[in-house]
Amino acid sequence: MSTDTTADAITSRPAGREARERLYRYLLFACAATSIFVTVGIVFLLAKDAIDFFTLVSPVEFFTGTTWLLPRNEFGVLPLLTGTLLVTVIAAAIALPVGVAAAVYLSEYASERARSVLKPALEILAGIPTVVYGIFALVYVTPFLRFFGLPLNTFNVLSASVMVGIMIIPMISSLSEDAMSAVPDSLREAAYGVGATKYEVSTGVVIPAAVSGIFSSFILALSRAIGETMIVAVAMGSRSRLFDFANPLQNLWQGNQPMTAAMIQINSADNVSGPGFKSMFAIGLTLFVITFLMNLVSNRIAARYREEYN
Amino acid sequence: MTNENMNTAASTETQPSATADPTSEPLVEQSISVDNTSDRTTVDGETVIRSKDLDVFYGETQALQSVSLEIPENQVTAMIGPSGCGKSTFLRCINRMNDLIDVARIDGELTFDGKNVYDEDVDPVALRRRIGMVFQHPNPFPKSIYDNVAYGLRIQNRDVDMDAVVEESLKKAALWDEVKDRLDESALDLSGGQQQRLCIARAIAVDPQVVLMDEPASALDPIATSKIEDLIEDLAEEYTVVIVTHNMQQAARISDTTAVFLTGGELVEFDDTDKIFEDPESQRVEDYITGKFG
């Protein structure tokens, strides 16, 4: 090989390569940009239609009204909002402790073999379509709870909320387990070294050290619960009710309609027009703002409690 | 306790002229000594920890081979040797930290105050409350300085004046003056050397009998290291200290007794530190100490 060809080898440039490289760059950028444009577009249109609605119905009436009744053009969002909160609180009461306990088991107690069976099983649970959970709530959970003497209506808040809670357990346990496994063994050894038991190490050292990850998993799971539609649409009925403080338990036995289910109902009804139809966007915007704020808070808190280990 | 039979089975290989025929030497009390190994397993002082024919396996690998030695009370005993020689493994056998490793298997006997710690009825949690440990890398909890020191007392539900014990422990660990005005701050904000002294305070707050230290200064700068070394010598007035180090000068400076482990998990020599560093029995130990090997 002569010196000429060496010089050729480092100066020759295949024709069109730079153009191709530029094309790849633009294609990849387009893919990244599409998702952002679509998201921004959805938020923009949601806000636009919601503003249209608020020209017909005042925001004060919407946010303070205590009755949601489309046929009578009563657009008070509070019953839908309390319905959503009720479902979320009950689901959280079930899913947070069980999810964290499952994560502690997987991260601290489970043998390699148990973990290799349980982790995939939890992930399968996360893959079940939510409409199946809804039907399960209606057909099995409600009769099961009635068996224990609870005075449940056919469509009721309790069964649906229990199923929403079960639905978000895998999310909490999986993300929390990741956070707990990331806690360095040196901290566990330090605690064992002064005579801590496994339970004391788990609750007193591992959970506090993983708290930012655990908290993030809560927020993500609760956002999921707030936005959950199919379970509540199938198993909770379609009648909105403002939370009744006089009979707190009664709220659980009866059906209710949270924000997501109300939107489905408006969208699938063919005799709704005008402000009734547009109200869907106002509810949607309200939901979006709630989950968006939760994610903001979650990021702040995660950053605040994140510990750096080296 | 002095072993009159010390050094009698020195190897033919290391000291050919002195012991041409080992069998002609007076009978020694230990029969486990390997050819080129000093058979001495005891030194002056009340024995608090005693191991006899201790074997440790990690799965198929043997990490310790028939280790026998007696650790004297209220002294500093150093374990030295090259990486992978089993010195940390031995340390972790004493308070059963090896229990946390699934594949570890222990044969032989290791007694603490006369009781075999591997007996069925021994509770490792209770054992670790009497044998504290300080690790290679400072590992304070992500809690306040105060809560770090108080942690052991809290899990043991000790009915003590918490403030007083925290203060006393931090004073013993030579850290009190540096942190007394910021006990509520996160322990993670301390320097590495301060964190390690905090870990020592955490270990002694529960008033153990023995403090095990696994290369406690290897992650620290020279100034922090010398503070830790001073501290270890002070601690020996009250506690039995067993320290693993790969820094031979450190072992020579602070320990009263030294055990030398060499490759393969074999205890090659165990004697007064001065003796080990000035006139070791084993040629391999001399080579190791003078830097010819390891």
Side-chain angles (χ1 to χ4, degrees):
Chain A
M1 202 180 275
S2 73
T3 48
D4 291 356
T5 53
T6 307
D8 283 348
I10 62 167
T11 54
S12 73
R13 191 176 299 194
R17 186 172 68 193
E18 287 190 349
R20 267 204 318 279
E21 284 293 317
R22 220 177 298 131
L23 179 68
Y24 296 147
R25 185 197 167 93
Y26 291 147
L27 277 175
L28 295 172
F29 173 77
C31 290
T34 304
S35 64
I36 295 173
F37 284 140
V38 170
T39 309
V40 170
I42 288 173
V43 174
F44 174 77
L45 293 174
L46 194 60
K48 182 183 146 298
D49 285 322
I51 288 166
D52 283 353
F53 170 77
F54 286 131
T55 58
L56 303 172
V57 177
S58 86
V60 175
E61 189 190 332
F62 180 73
F63 286 113
T64 61
T66 54
T67 312
W68 182 268
L69 213 54
L70 290 184
R72 294 219 309 257
N73 274 357
E74 291 192 55
F75 299 109
V77 81
L78 282 180
L80 305 181
L81 194 61
T82 57
T84 294
L85 287 179
L86 190 56
V87 172
T88 307
V89 166
I90 297 170
I94 291 165
L96 304 194
V98 176
V100 171
V104 168
Y105 177 75
L106 286 174
S107 154
E108 306 300 311
Y109 286 82
S111 67
E112 209 48 54
R113 229 167 65 90
R115 198 204 317 260
S116 71
V117 174
L118 285 173
K119 271 212 101 170
L122 273 172
E123 274 148 27
I124 289 169
L125 201 58
I128 296 174
T130 57
V131 64
V132 174
Y133 283 105
I135 291 167
F136 193 83
L138 193 62
V139 178
Y140 294 105
V141 178
T142 297
F144 178 75
L145 293 176
R146 275 181 181 157
F147 179 76
F148 290 99
L150 300 181
L152 296 176
N153 294 349
T154 304
F155 296 104
N156 64 82
V157 169
L158 188 62
S159 304
S161 304
V162 166
M163 278 327 282
V164 172
I166 290 171
M167 177 196 78
I168 61 177
I169 286 173
M171 198 170 190
I172 294 176
S173 60
S174 175
L175 293 173
S176 297
E177 200 259 342
D178 290 346
M180 291 176 195
S181 297
V183 173
D185 277 342
S186 65
L187 288 185
R188 293 184 181 87
E189 289 190 329
Y192 284 121
V194 288
T197 63
K198 204 172 194 70
Y199 183 75
E200 286 161 347
V201 172
S202 304
T203 55
V205 175
V206 176
I207 290 178
V211 75
S212 83
I214 296 170
F215 197 84
S216 297
S217 82
F218 286 175
I219 300 288
L220 277 174
L222 291 187
S223 297
R224 193 64 211 284
I226 289 172
E228 173 48 35
T229 310
M230 282 317 293
I231 297 175
V232 291
V234 169
M236 252 169 75
S238 54
R239 186 164 158 215
S240 66
R241 286 187 174 87
L242 190 65
F243 189 85
D244 181 3
F245 285 96
N247 304 298
L249 283 177
Q250 192 63 31
N251 293 300
L252 307 183
W253 316 146
Q254 296 172 334
N256 205 334
Q257 191 175 44
M259 299 162 84
T260 48
M263 289 173 71
I264 290 278
Q265 195 192 12
I266 295 164
N267 195 41
S268 54
D270 49 18
N271 57 351
V272 180
S273 59
F277 185 74
K278 290 274 183 193
S279 68
M280 183 169 68
F281 297 100
I283 302 171
L285 187 67
T286 313
L287 259 182
F288 170 75
V289 168
I290 293 172
T291 48
F292 183 73
L293 285 178
M294 282 180 68
N295 285 339
L296 273 188
V297 170
S298 142
N299 284 344
R300 281 287 165 81
I301 291 179
R304 165 75 181 73
Y305 288 102
R306 182 164 296 132
E307 301 293 353
E308 298 296 337
Y309 300 109
N310 40 21
Chain B
M1 285 301 292
T2 308
N3 186 343
E4 297 301 331
N5 301 324
M6 53 188 269
N7 314 331
T8 44
S11 115
T12 51
E13 193 182 307
T14 53
Q15 298 199 327
S17 56
T19 55
D21 180 7
T23 55
S24 69
E25 296 293 319
L27 199 64
V28 294
E29 65 170 25
Q30 246 71 31
S31 56
I32 47 94
S33 61
V34 195
D35 223 4
N36 60 349
T37 309
S38 158
D39 72 319
R40 194 169 175 194
T41 62
T42 63
V43 291
D44 294 349
E46 282 295 318
T47 297
V48 63
I49 293 160
R50 177 167 164 277
S51 89
K52 191 154 185 296
D53 300 345
L54 190 73
D55 290 320
V56 175
F57 300 86
Y58 293 129
E60 295 295 302
T61 320
Q62 186 160 11
L64 284 182
Q65 288 185 33
S66 195
V67 171
S68 298
L69 55 78
E70 296 188 356
I71 292 172
E73 191 169 31
N74 287 20
Q75 291 190 19
V76 179
T77 302
M79 314 263 147
I80 62 172
S83 297
C85 68
K87 55 195 191 298
S88 288
T89 296
F90 180 78
L91 197 74
R92 283 161 177 263
C93 283
I94 299 174
N95 65 346
R96 291 185 57 174
M97 286 300 271
N98 280 331
D99 288 12
L100 306 179
I101 301 166
D102 290 338
V103 296
R105 185 164 62 80
I106 289 114
D107 288 337
E109 202 177 276
L110 198 149
T111 59
F112 169 59
D113 267 1
K115 174 74 182 164
N116 186 356
V117 302
Y118 287 97
D119 279 353
E120 286 281 318
D121 57 346
V122 169
D123 172 17
V125 169
L127 177 73
R128 292 181 198 130
R129 289 175 180 187
R130 292 182 66 195
I131 305 182
M133 189 158 192
V134 177
F135 298 84
Q136 183 171 5
H137 291 280
N139 55 359
F141 299 126
K143 301 171 189 277
S144 72
I145 293 167
Y146 185 99
D147 288 343
N148 263 277
V149 182
Y151 179 81
L153 297 163
R154 286 192 177 133
I155 59 169
Q156 297 184 23
N157 288 319
R158 291 266 189 95
D159 184 22
V160 292
D161 180 351
M162 196 72 81
D163 291 351
V165 176
V166 168
E167 178 175 343
E168 193 196 335
S169 305
L170 285 168
K171 277 179 175 162
K172 280 189 198 163
L175 187 60
W176 175 252
D177 290 335
E178 293 162 58
V179 301
K180 63 183 174 195
D181 299 323
R182 48 180 180 137
L183 295 174
D184 295 336
E185 288 178 26
S186 168
L188 301 181
D189 294 337
L190 297 174
S191 72
Q194 288 173 324
Q195 287 188 3
Q196 194 62 305
R197 277 178 282 149
L198 179 68
C199 293
I200 292 172
R202 181 176 64 191
I204 60 181
V206 294
D207 197 28
Q209 212 170 326
V210 178
V211 179
L212 308 177
M213 298 189 168
D214 191 356
E215 303 191 27
S218 67
L220 304 179
D221 65 67
I223 292 169
T225 299
S226 86
K227 281 186 184 166
I228 298 278
E229 288 182 4
D230 290 347
L231 177 56
I232 290 168
E233 293 186 274
D234 293 342
L235 289 176
E237 288 171 17
E238 215 172 320
Y239 308 97
T240 302
V241 178
V242 186
I243 177 173
V244 162
T245 176
H246 56 210
N247 178 335
M248 283 178 282
Q249 286 71 35
Q250 186 172 67
R253 278 193 298 267
I254 63 175
S255 71
D256 304 295
T257 311
T258 297
V260 186
F261 289 79
L262 292 179
T263 323
E266 177 192 356
L267 173 64
V268 181
E269 197 158 341
F270 179 65
D271 213 324
D272 295 330
T273 297
D274 294 343
K275 173 87 170 83
I276 294 272
F277 282 92
E278 279 158 27
D279 182 21
E281 294 296 324
S282 157
Q283 186 62 42
R284 289 168 68 199
V285 170
E286 187 167 342
D287 287 351
Y288 175 66
I289 284 168
T290 53
K292 284 185 193 156
F293 133 82

